[in-house]
Amino acid sequence: MTIDLSFFKKHGYQILKGIFPKEIIEPIASFLAQEKDKTLSKIKDFIDFQEPKDLIARIQRIADDDQAFQSLEPQQRNMLSGHFSLEARLSPILHAIPQSAAILDLCAQLLPGQEPRMHMPPTARFVLPGNYFAGVPAHQDVSYNKHIQDFFVVWVPFCAIDDDCGGVMVHHGSGYLPEQIQSPAKKFWLQPVPDYGYEKIHCKMDIGDALLLNKWVVHQSMPNFSDRIRYSSDFRFFGSATTSEKHYLDIAKGEVVAPALA
Ligand SMILES: O=C(O)CCC(=O)C(=O)O
């Protein structure tokens, strides 16, 4: 498999059509569907709610109350903003993506001569209908990943991404925009980068597709207006010529490597 990456090299992003077979996607999709209930039950340990829509109203109240927000632990904030629990994100089931033929090809092309690595854990998200707080405002991934010098991101949906169910919107033309300074947000995410008027492209995708992003291209989440849960995962890849201060997966060996002690 050799994927033509010429669009990515020019624009800093590319939709890669049909790169993952269903044998790779389906087990992860089923795993995430089960884990969603476990993550919601972990949320019930610190927020009392019955239905997911009641949870959204509770998240809104927490977001409006500085004290309540500050009292949450980072893991708890992550779950409220649509991230699966850390336990789910650490599952080796997700490693089928970095070990797929498509990712090995991307690494061979984009990290030539280097051992491919993946930041651990990958992000895995479930966006409940109407969970506005799961939406990442416009950003460059370089601002959220200070611990890795150089990397690319592969965003993988586990449901079809259409007009209604959210996904990612890319600011076409920003692929080589220098890093913008983003002041820390009070709630969940960094403040959005300024809107420089780039064309906004909502990346509609089918199951089996992926969105490749470089570290500079500006992109943001689209809200989930549908009545379905939007499932996705995003993976950060880098090579052995780059340092990382956090855990990573050595893709060839299938081993998780801890950061060297300072
Ligand atoms: O999944 C999303 O909603 C946004 C993902 C994203 O922005 C990222 O991977 O950097």
Side-chain angles (χ1 to χ4, degrees):
M1 172 184 281
T2 303
I3 302 168
D4 177 0
L5 297 179
S6 40
F7 189 95
F8 172 72
K9 287 178 184 158
K10 186 161 177 204
H11 299 290
Y13 75 97
Q14 184 173 339
I15 296 174
L16 307 173
K17 293 298 294 173
I19 63 165
F20 297 120
K22 64 178 186 345
E23 293 72 23
I24 289 188
I25 294 295
E26 282 175 359
I28 302 177
S30 316
F31 168 73
L32 293 180
Q34 284 166 18
E35 284 298 322
K36 179 258 305 170
D37 293 327
K38 291 193 200 157
T39 299
L40 286 174
S41 116
K42 283 186 202 296
I43 294 175
K44 281 189 177 148
D45 290 344
F46 61 97
I47 295 185
D48 182 26
F49 67 96
Q50 296 298 321
E51 298 296 323
K53 68 175 174 17
D54 306 328
L55 173 62
I56 311 290
R58 294 295 307 273
I59 301 172
Q60 177 74 60
R61 289 218 290 281
I62 289 172
D64 289 341
D65 176 345
D66 272 347
Q67 217 179 351
F69 184 83
Q70 295 305 337
S71 71
L72 295 175
E73 290 166 16
Q75 285 298 329
Q76 295 175 324
R77 291 179 199 173
N78 279 345
M79 290 189 286
L80 297 185
S81 56
H83 294 90
F84 279 98
S85 67
L86 182 60
E87 191 188 5
R89 294 168 54 206
L90 285 168
S91 169
I93 290 179
L94 295 174
H95 297 180
I97 296 287
Q99 289 173 332
S100 65
I103 295 298
L104 295 182
D105 174 56
L106 293 185
C107 290
Q109 291 195 57
L110 299 175
L111 310 167
Q114 300 181 54
E115 288 164 24
R117 297 173 173 176
M118 182 190 83
H119 168 70
M120 280 294 293
T123 302
R125 302 173 202 255
F126 67 104
V127 179
L128 296 171
N131 187 2
Y132 166 82
F133 297 96
V136 196
H139 66 285
Q140 298 169 292
D141 282 345
V142 63
S143 306
Y144 279 97
N145 295 275
K146 297 290 185 196
H147 59 285
I148 324 175
Q149 279 169 339
D150 204 12
F151 62 92
F152 62 87
V153 176
V154 177
W155 186 88
V156 182
F158 295 97
C159 58
I161 300 296
D162 55 18
D163 279 330
D164 299 330
C165 90
V168 176
M169 184 161 78
V170 170
H171 296 209
H172 179 84
S174 65
Y176 292 93
L177 186 72
E179 185 185 356
Q180 305 293 296
I181 304 303
Q182 288 178 268
S183 45
K186 283 201 302 206
K187 303 289 152 64
F188 297 113
W189 310 105
L190 298 173
Q191 298 284 359
V193 297
D195 185 342
Y196 292 116
Y198 293 109
E199 184 187 357
K200 315 282 190 307
I201 312 248
H202 181 191
C203 299
K204 316 265 173 62
M205 296 164 69
D206 294 312
I207 292 177
D209 297 350
L211 175 64
L212 174 63
L213 301 161
N214 75 9
K215 64 180 181 178
W216 296 293
V217 69
V218 178
H219 56 288
Q220 65 192 78
S221 305
M222 294 292 282
N224 181 1
F225 294 123
S226 75
D227 53 8
R228 290 162 282 145
I229 298 174
R230 191 264 273 176
Y231 293 99
S232 65
S233 187
D234 38 276
F235 303 84
R236 280 140 194 77
F237 295 99
F238 59 100
S240 43
T242 289
T243 54
S244 170
E245 293 157 20
K246 297 195 176 168
H247 286 75
Y248 65 83
L249 177 74
D250 178 324
I251 295 176
K253 293 189 184 138
E255 282 171 10
V256 176
V257 179
L261 292 175

